[in-house]
Amino acid sequence: MAQQQVDGARRAPLSRDRVLHAAVALADHAGVDSVSMRNLAQELGVVPMALYKHVANKEELLDGMVDVVVGEIDPPADGADWKSAIRQRILSARRALERHPWSSRVIESRPKPTPVVLDYLNSIVGMFRAGGFSVDLTHHVMHALGSRVWGFTQELFPASPLPEDPETQAAGFRELASRYPHIAEIAMAAAHDDESVVGQGCDDEYEFQFALDLLLDGFDNLHRQGWTSRGTGS
Amino acid sequence: MAQQQVDGARRAPLSRDRVLHAAVALADHAGVDSVSMRNLAQELGVVPMALYKHVANKEELLDGMVDVVVGEIDPPADGADWKSAIRQRILSARRALERHPWSSRVIESRPKPTPVVLDYLNSIVGMFRAGGFSVDLTHHVMHALGSRVWGFTQELFPASPLPEDPETQAAGFRELASRYPHIAEIAMAAAHDDESVVGQGCDDEYEFQFALDLLLDGFDNLHRQGWTSRGTGS
DNA sequence: ACCTGAACACCGTTCAAGT
DNA sequence: ACCTGAACACCGTTCAAGT
């Protein structure tokens, strides 16, 4: 009875929402790998099997976590032209996903989209259509955007922490430069406005916007030219 | 002794190479999820711990599997202009990765590139440089390419098998259309030259080349304009 | 010195036994 | 009827015991 009391005080009644937000918080501060059914249950002061009343299985848990993050994306700004409206929205998605560093990886891993995900994608498609894009062009343009609709790109060189010692760092760079001269060259260029000789020099935000704008401008051109999949021209 | 004989006949001496190729073959025909140290060992007629003499741990095994796939990419064609040379090379990478459907996902999941991966990336960077691209532009262009250097794109709508019954299929589509009209619209467009009403209609190869060419043409324009990260013009 | 079976510390999920 | 502890079928990896 006293035991009952303690338990009652400690846990608010479990709900799907509470489970999902606890999972997001756990992933945020301890990494997504530590989100196991057992771990999460413990975090909630609950027996593992209790979670299964609110999510069917781990897959559904991950879907729900994605929904929480996607729910943080701002609604479309109205009154803007298609290009800046889409640009803004995608950058808002980027902000949301940045708050939860595990989320891009989890989004990519989901085998099928949830309704929340479909809502977001549907609205982006709608923004191209509202901008006058043909159904045909919009279709291809969505494919070309790919995971960039979510505001992220798979990094080819995930930033790994540099060794503390500047001597080992320099030695590492010399080895890189001798084996992979072209990579070393562009890595140097990235570090131009930075103290370190290599790496950490890439400005992710700049790179993302560079690529996004390149794509949006490309879309714009095709649209103006009246592009269709059966040949250019109207 | 007879036991010894049987074992001796069954297993060629284990080597790193044999381990990696067995892992690739196992992933090819049974899915990457079934590549566990225990499963792979059994496939090779060996005790699990025997693998650890050839790969330090599972991470290194996955790196090695990626190296096998990347090793199948054709060397650069010479004598071509940068654009068609890079285009060809990336499409060759696409062919290699298509032969091993698990590989794009595994490549994305690797925390740091292997020497084999760096060799490939280095050579692509070199091809832009040989085409006259500045170090600066080449750097940004590599980021913009992202995982498309490997010949794949993260699909937003992974093709899920359609229900057999055409009636349930039509009902599913009606529901999609009422909740996500814009998505339904472009899905319809994709299916134009196809029997099915939705899905399976996207020609992955077309979409990939559409986006790749859009990017390469964009790069070309910037290059011709003498683009630099500190403003346009020379 | 080499090899390996058993063990450790985990998983997600099932299911039967308990209330 | 509801809840849950124990169990099942897995993981990757360590380590000590055996040859």
Side-chain angles (χ1 to χ4, degrees):
Chain A
M1 210 259 175
Q3 179 65 26
Q4 198 90 335
Q5 205 74 322
V6 171
D7 277 37
R10 185 147 61 117
R11 61 182 184 215
L14 214 52
S15 69
R16 184 181 163 89
D17 216 63
R18 230 167 74 75
V19 169
L20 297 184
H21 280 86
V24 167
L26 181 56
D28 284 349
H29 86 259
V32 74
D33 286 345
S34 72
V35 179
S36 66
M37 299 303 269
R38 290 161 128 107
N39 238 339
L40 177 59
Q42 188 177 296
E43 205 79 4
L44 286 159
V46 136
V47 82
M49 282 312 298
L51 299 176
Y52 285 83
K53 212 176 324 174
H54 301 99
V55 289
N57 47 41
K58 178 141 190 207
E59 295 293 286
E60 201 181 291
L61 175 70
L62 291 171
D63 275 341
M65 291 170 69
V66 168
D67 284 354
V68 169
V69 176
V70 175
E72 293 178 10
I73 302 174
D74 292 330
D78 42 34
D81 63 303
W82 71 265
K83 203 197 280 190
S84 57
I86 288 175
R87 201 186 124 94
Q88 244 179 276
R89 192 103 194 279
I90 288 179
L91 291 179
S92 163
R94 181 169 172 85
R95 297 291 92 75
L97 269 66
E98 271 174 349
R99 270 174 250 135
H100 310 282
W102 47 271
S103 61
S104 57
R105 210 157 267 286
V106 174
I107 285 178
E108 281 187 324
S109 77
R110 300 291 75 221
K112 47 184 5 181
T114 64
V116 173
V117 163
L118 287 170
D119 272 333
Y120 174 73
L121 295 174
N122 185 64
S123 91
I124 297 280
V125 175
M127 291 168 87
F128 278 112
R129 296 284 290 127
F133 277 54
S134 70
V135 172
D136 186 23
L137 181 55
T138 302
H139 172 237
H140 300 301
V141 139
M142 287 297 292
H143 276 282
L145 224 34
S147 64
R148 256 183 276 246
V149 257
W150 297 114
F152 72 90
T153 333
Q154 168 71 13
E155 284 301 321
L156 252 19
F157 300 85
S160 42
L162 287 174
E164 292 295 319
D165 177 22
E167 185 45 50
T168 15
Q169 189 178 319
F173 183 76
R174 275 193 303 272
E175 202 192 305
L176 179 77
S178 73
R179 289 205 216 181
Y180 316 104
H182 300 303
I183 290 176
E185 199 179 37
I186 64 175
M188 282 288 285
H192 61 88
D193 50 356
D194 198 306
E195 282 301 284
S196 72
V197 71
V198 68
Q200 259 72 12
C202 295
D203 179 344
D204 285 347
E205 188 63 26
Y206 181 90
E207 301 306 340
F208 183 78
Q209 295 194 18
F210 173 86
L212 179 61
D213 291 335
L214 191 66
L215 286 167
L216 293 177
D217 289 345
F219 301 165
D220 201 3
N221 286 337
L222 294 178
H223 172 45
R224 281 191 220 274
Q225 285 164 28
W227 184 95
T228 77
S229 54
R230 286 171 203 77
T232 298
S234 55
Chain B
M1 209 279 181
Q3 178 66 24
Q4 198 90 334
Q5 205 74 323
V6 170
D7 276 39
R10 188 149 59 119
R11 60 183 184 215
L14 215 53
S15 69
R16 184 181 163 90
D17 215 64
R18 231 166 75 76
V19 168
L20 297 183
H21 280 86
V24 167
L26 180 58
D28 285 349
H29 87 261
V32 75
D33 286 344
S34 70
V35 179
S36 67
M37 299 303 269
R38 290 161 128 106
N39 239 339
L40 177 58
Q42 188 176 296
E43 205 78 6
L44 285 159
V46 137
V47 81
M49 282 312 297
L51 299 176
Y52 285 82
K53 212 175 324 173
H54 301 99
V55 289
N57 49 39
K58 179 144 190 204
E59 295 293 285
E60 201 182 291
L61 176 69
L62 291 171
D63 275 340
M65 290 170 70
V66 168
D67 285 352
V68 169
V69 176
V70 174
E72 293 177 11
I73 302 174
D74 292 330
D78 42 35
D81 63 304
W82 70 266
K83 203 197 278 188
S84 57
I86 287 176
R87 201 186 125 94
Q88 245 179 276
R89 192 101 195 279
I90 288 179
L91 292 179
S92 164
R94 182 169 172 85
R95 296 291 93 76
L97 269 67
E98 271 174 347
R99 269 173 250 136
H100 311 283
W102 47 270
S103 61
S104 56
R105 210 158 268 287
V106 174
I107 284 178
E108 281 186 324
S109 77
R110 298 294 72 222
K112 47 181 8 182
T114 64
V116 172
V117 164
L118 286 171
D119 272 333
Y120 174 72
L121 294 174
N122 186 65
S123 90
I124 297 280
V125 175
M127 289 167 88
F128 279 112
R129 296 286 287 128
F133 276 56
S134 71
V135 172
D136 187 21
L137 181 55
T138 303
H139 172 237
H140 301 300
V141 140
M142 286 298 293
H143 277 281
L145 224 34
S147 64
R148 257 185 272 246
V149 259
W150 297 114
F152 71 89
T153 333
Q154 170 69 13
E155 285 300 321
L156 252 19
F157 300 86
S160 42
L162 287 174
E164 291 296 317
D165 177 23
E167 184 44 50
T168 16
Q169 189 176 320
F173 183 76
R174 276 194 301 274
E175 203 193 305
L176 179 78
S178 73
R179 289 205 215 181
Y180 316 105
H182 300 302
I183 291 176
E185 199 179 37
I186 64 175
M188 282 288 284
H192 61 85
D193 52 355
D194 198 307
E195 282 301 284
S196 72
V197 70
V198 67
Q200 259 71 11
C202 295
D203 180 343
D204 284 347
E205 188 62 28
Y206 182 90
E207 301 305 342
F208 183 79
Q209 295 193 18
F210 173 86
L212 179 61
D213 290 335
L214 192 67
L215 285 167
L216 293 177
D217 289 345
F219 300 165
D220 200 3
N221 285 338
L222 295 178
H223 172 45
R224 280 191 222 275
Q225 286 165 26
W227 184 94
T228 78
S229 55
R230 284 169 203 79
T232 298
S234 56

